[in-house]
Amino acid sequence: MKKIKEGKFVFTGELEPEKTTDLTELVESAKKLLGHCVACNVTDNPQSMAYMSSLVASHIVQRDSGMECVYQLRCSDRNSIALTSDLLGAGALGIRNVLALTGDHTSLGDYPGSMPVFDLDSGQLVYLIRRMVDEGVDLNGKPIEHPPRFHVGVAGNPNADPLDSEILKLKRKVEAGAEFVQTQVIFDIEIAKTFLKEMEKYKVPVLIGIFPLKNYGTADYFDKYIPGVHVPKDLLAKMKEASEIGDKKKKMERYDEINLDYYGDFVHEIAHNTSAAGIHVMAVAYERITPPLIECAKI
Amino acid sequence: MITGERKDLEELMEIVKTYNSLAVVGCDGCVGIYQIGGFKEAESLASLLKMGDKIKNGVVQDAEAFTVIRQCDKELIEKELGGKLDKFEAIVSTACGVGVQTMAAVFEDKVVYPALNTLFMGAQDREGAELYELCKGCGDCVLHLTGGICPMTRCAKGLLNGPCGGAVDGKCEVGDYTNDCAWVLIYEKLKSMDRLDLYTTFRLPRDRRPSMSPRKLAGGAKY
């Protein structure tokens, strides 16, 4: 993530360890993104699904693929003791980037009856990490032998309504020490531009989150079930049209073409005419799209 | 006030099925005011237990209703029920968990069964249609900083530095977008009060000890 600090327009990817002990596919996905993405986020129990530890997955991906990881860490499942403990472990394993997340509520996942923790929130997790990194102490000021070194990032939601309350919340997170912001998924470039404009005053690198649509089912699901996010109607219509192509290979090619057409312009515009530091490409299980997409955007 | 809801009749019948006679004791305090566990509800439950038991061929022959002004007060229980429950084999209380435990402490030789699942401290909405949880009793009140809206209770995640981003049109994703996002409410309220300085202030992690159970207070002066 040093490249962000150097002011280069960068791409980050996203990898999702699931309910498995086998990370072969994840490592292969990471390898495909080498040279295209500066780092990959490794998700931590997304949507509160009980998946493999993001710390373990981050470590194995870094070790076996050479891809730098952004270790996502949620407050939903761990109290401040467990967070401190995992962060020390992450330091020992050579993790260099942490995305501090509050996390989805546990009742939304596949263990809906489990206890939600939220001992800290994402801003307070940033505070904890900063104390560990900058002062070499834990939350209560106790010294850490060989303190860890992390870059710490946070999530931002440009789709929030009211947006002002979200921007002011991000101000708190930046003041607590967040070094970069990765946003939730955006389809509408105007939403991205408004958000970036609002964030300029905080002088923190912002990576705009995009979600290439692997197939029509994904697009439709996203449009219907992901709250506050709508897939543009014409994009959805094109995906539906493509879904009706009988030949599987041709269908995949058409999906890719639609994504490249849509996101090529989107990313080009973000890179050339906004203050964004980069793009966070959430192409989970669709990483083949990322290299041509970056090329297509003509950065 | 303290709120709750009555257990399913089937579950209650299963609990009391071995007793011939039951005293069903209501509480005129919080649960009585909200018509969840007052005298009327105790009477109705006593009838249902007798009736239901006949259908299921159980053994409950006698179930009589009583009430106490507040079941959380030992002296009131003793004053109002002293000697009246001797002939009953067991007690069913329609009070909150505090009442059930206080009854059990007074009637040491009887088993006291809870008829309610105690839920939360809350109040009615203006229409009186629903009861809302408003206070967790966290032991470290911040209402003066949050426009009189409790983030510990009304935010599903109990965040001190919200909102989390999980709201759409001001409604929280927890509860299928039927509950207000507490942090949107706090933002709007503080904005209207021209106190967004409170909103933008970063709150440090909490010392959770004031909320750790079991808690007690010294004294407890009598009203």
Side-chain angles (χ1 to χ4, degrees):
Chain A
M1 300 302 274
K2 274 183 187 168
K3 285 183 181 160
I4 295 180
K5 290 199 160 176
E6 289 164 8
K8 286 179 184 155
F9 192 84
V10 299
F11 289 84
T12 51
E14 184 145 307
L15 302 167
E16 188 174 303
E18 295 189 348
K19 217 179 281 284
T20 177
T21 57
D22 182 3
L23 291 175
T24 313
E25 267 185 48
L26 212 68
V27 169
E28 287 310 307
S29 295
K31 282 180 182 168
K32 286 179 196 160
L33 296 173
L34 277 173
H36 305 286
C37 293
V38 293
C40 274
N41 288 34
V42 178
T43 57
D44 179 17
N45 300 337
Q47 287 95 47
S48 288
M49 307 293 273
Y51 288 162
M52 183 203 274
S53 151
S54 59
L55 174 54
V56 172
S58 295
H59 167 61
I60 291 178
V61 167
Q62 281 201 168
R63 186 194 64 190
D64 295 352
S65 75
M67 171 63 79
E68 183 173 327
C69 287
V70 179
Y71 163 44
Q72 294 197 357
L73 184 59
R74 311 180 341 141
C75 299
S76 321
D77 319 316
R78 301 168 184 86
N79 68 8
S80 49
I81 299 172
L83 290 167
T84 305
S85 176
D86 283 358
L87 285 163
L88 290 171
L93 290 171
I95 306 293
R96 290 288 170 260
N97 314 291
V98 183
L99 190 74
L101 300 169
T102 296
D104 288 315
H105 196 273
T106 51
S107 62
L108 304 177
D110 62 353
Y111 280 36
S114 65
M115 175 73 84
V117 181
F118 302 112
D119 188 14
L120 305 186
D121 56 44
S122 55
Q124 293 166 339
L125 179 54
V126 171
Y127 172 80
L128 164 62
I129 295 169
R130 287 259 68 97
R131 289 210 81 179
M132 293 174 86
V133 173
D134 300 341
E135 300 169 50
V137 296
D138 70 7
L139 202 54
N140 292 324
K142 282 197 178 169
I144 297 167
E145 273 185 57
H146 306 291
R149 294 177 63 191
F150 299 123
H151 294 296
V152 57
V154 293
N157 182 12
N159 305 299
D161 180 23
L163 184 60
D164 286 359
S165 64
E166 174 72 12
I167 299 291
L168 290 174
K169 179 188 77 176
L170 282 164
K171 176 178 187 281
R172 281 190 229 126
K173 290 190 191 181
V174 172
E175 284 173 358
E179 293 167 277
F180 63 93
V181 176
Q182 289 175 314
T183 78
Q184 307 284 8
V185 175
I186 307 173
F187 284 102
D188 184 338
I189 198 157
E190 292 310 315
I191 290 178
K193 284 181 172 176
T194 306
F195 181 78
L196 288 163
K197 197 86 197 151
E198 290 287 334
M199 287 300 293
E200 271 176 23
K201 53 184 172 284
Y202 303 132
K203 303 194 186 320
V204 62
V206 176
L207 283 82
I208 293 295
I210 64 167
F211 190 91
L213 300 160
K214 191 181 178 186
N215 50 44
Y216 173 64
T218 308
D220 189 49
Y221 178 85
F222 226 91
D223 191 54
K224 279 184 184 150
Y225 301 111
I226 303 295
V229 179
H230 295 290
V231 179
K233 281 196 175 74
D234 55 339
L235 179 60
L236 200 60
K238 280 182 191 168
M239 292 295 288
K240 187 169 174 24
E241 209 177 293
S243 73
E244 284 152 14
I245 297 171
D247 183 85
K248 201 179 166 189
K249 191 167 173 254
K250 280 185 182 161
K251 181 158 51 182
M252 280 168 68
E253 282 172 3
R254 178 64 188 139
Y255 280 143
D256 289 359
E257 203 176 274
I258 295 168
N259 275 292
L260 295 177
D261 185 40
Y262 186 81
Y263 284 116
D265 290 347
F266 185 106
V267 172
H268 182 87
E269 178 68 13
I270 294 286
H272 291 278
N273 293 318
T274 74
S275 59
I279 298 284
H280 178 52
V281 191
M282 288 174 258
V284 173
Y286 187 32
E287 58 285 332
R288 72 164 189 272
I289 198 70
T290 305
L293 194 154
I294 294 170
E295 197 181 319
C296 200
K298 299 186 183 77
I299 306 301
Chain B
M1 290 192 212
I2 296 171
T3 67
E5 59 185 0
R6 207 196 68 203
K7 286 177 179 285
D8 283 343
L9 193 59
E10 290 275 324
E11 185 187 348
L12 280 172
M13 283 196 296
E14 188 61 28
I15 291 171
V16 301
K17 68 180 179 187
T18 54
Y19 297 101
N20 275 306
S21 61
L22 293 169
V24 182
V25 184
C27 174
D28 295 335
C30 312
V31 294
I33 291 164
Y34 285 138
Q35 299 174 1
I36 300 163
F39 182 56
K40 275 188 181 172
E41 290 72 44
E43 268 188 322
S44 147
L45 180 60
S47 305
L48 287 168
L49 286 173
K50 274 193 286 188
M51 212 163 34
D53 207 62
K54 275 176 197 155
I55 296 163
K56 298 201 96 184
N57 299 317
V59 293
V60 177
Q61 301 295 322
D62 183 22
E64 195 177 330
F66 299 85
T67 194
V68 184
I69 296 173
R70 284 188 297 277
Q71 268 191 46
C72 51
D73 189 314
K74 276 186 183 179
E75 281 180 26
L76 284 172
I77 294 172
E78 280 160 359
K79 190 177 153 197
E80 295 179 31
L81 295 180
K84 291 182 185 172
L85 307 189
D86 293 350
K87 66 169 181 166
F88 297 98
E89 288 177 10
I91 298 168
V92 174
S93 164
T94 67
C96 67
V98 180
V100 174
Q101 291 182 66
T102 312
M103 287 284 287
V106 173
F107 298 98
E108 283 177 307
D109 58 337
K110 293 198 194 304
V111 186
V112 183
Y113 291 103
L116 299 191
N117 291 319
T118 306
L119 291 174
F120 53 81
M121 284 191 275
Q124 265 173 327
D125 59 357
R126 285 188 185 176
E127 293 77 30
E130 282 179 307
L131 292 162
Y132 287 96
E133 184 174 14
L134 293 176
C135 179
K136 263 195 158 69
C138 71
D140 189 7
C141 192
V142 292
L143 285 167
H144 57 298
L145 305 172
T146 57
I149 296 156
C150 178
M152 308 312 295
T153 311
R154 296 171 71 180
C155 165
K157 298 177 183 175
L159 304 183
L160 269 178
N161 295 290
C164 70
V168 177
D169 296 332
K171 298 290 180 185
C172 176
E173 65 186 357
V174 179
D176 211 15
Y177 304 98
T178 57
N179 298 322
D180 290 325
C181 165
W183 274 100
V184 171
L185 293 179
I186 291 168
Y187 170 75
E188 298 291 356
K189 184 70 186 289
L190 292 174
K191 193 177 171 189
S192 75
M193 294 163 71
D194 200 21
R195 288 305 311 270
L196 281 179
D197 59 304
L198 290 174
Y199 182 86
T200 51
T201 304
F202 174 65
R203 312 273 170 217
L204 288 170
R206 276 207 149 187
D207 182 340
R208 304 280 174 179
R209 282 173 291 187
S211 66
M212 290 178 189
S213 296
R215 293 178 281 182
K216 61 183 176 184
L217 277 175
K222 203 78 181 171
Y223 32 89

